[in-house]
Amino acid sequence: MNTPPREHSVISGPPDPVGEPRDFIAVDDGGDFSFHRSEQDLLAAFEYVGEAVCVVDRNGSAYRLALAPDRHLVLEPSLGPVEFHWLRQAWLDAQNAHPESHRLRRFFPITLEQVLSAVFETVTLEHGPEAAAGSWSLEMNGIASHPSSLEDIDRLLAHQDLTRHVRVQDPFGHVYRPVRHRKHWYLPEFAGFNLYVEIPASNAST
């Protein structure tokens, strides 16, 4: 049964700390994660209260959307820390359900800090603002290059044999081994897309 969205007399959540702009990750009603660089961008991305199941900031505070008296969406004050086990499971479910959208696969997180770091860093790299040129590193058969984005790395690896030595390092220092993911078993390997599976940095040269 659908319930009417709640109206809220507060027109915003807690004020942003001076000099510290807030960005957010939102989990939508389909279970997917999205990055929003400001509260204004967050509110513009949703059309109704229940469309965002949970909103989380970098400090791990959880929020919900509400309707102001003027019928515009607003961000409620913080509900407190996000529940660690729920967030981790939601993130793992999103990667399994939307593999083509979440292709950077970090080590399994065992703390809330690791989940927050993985979610904010990987979703930002995959769907957020452009990273600075040269902030990525690609090593292929002993030859290093510095692509400007994950999309550039995909283009450089297109039609390459990924069984050879290929290593990718993201702007945060995490090292990955690319693996081709077929969309369907009956399609050729090159019709798929790349997943980037984290490996220990000590294995980057092996």
Side-chain angles (χ1 to χ4, degrees), residues 109 131 186:
Y186 53 82

Side-chain angles (χ1 to χ4, degrees), residues 64-127:
R64 285 196 296 239
L65 301 182
L67 275 182
D70 63 2
R71 311 300 292 177
H72 285 87
L73 288 177
V74 295
L75 191 65
E76 288 190 330
S78 172
L79 300 169
V82 66
E83 207 283 314
F84 161 56
H85 295 286
W86 176 85
L87 181 64
R88 180 171 65 178
Q89 190 59 52
W91 177 232
L92 296 175
D93 290 344
Q95 292 179 86
N96 290 330
H98 309 281
E100 199 164 359
S101 296
H102 303 296
R103 298 184 296 118
L104 295 174
R105 301 305 178 89
R106 296 275 183 90
F107 294 133
F108 184 77
I110 59 175
T111 67
L112 177 59
E113 291 73 20
Q114 289 176 352
V115 177
L116 291 170
S117 175
V119 170
F120 271 92
E121 290 180 3
T122 59
V123 176
T124 300
L125 290 171
E126 292 165 340
H127 305 292

Side-chain angles (χ1 to χ4, degrees), residues 132-148:
S135 56
W136 291 82
S137 176
L138 169 64
E139 183 180 329
M140 186 162 48
N141 301 321
I143 300 174
S145 60
H146 297 281
S148 61

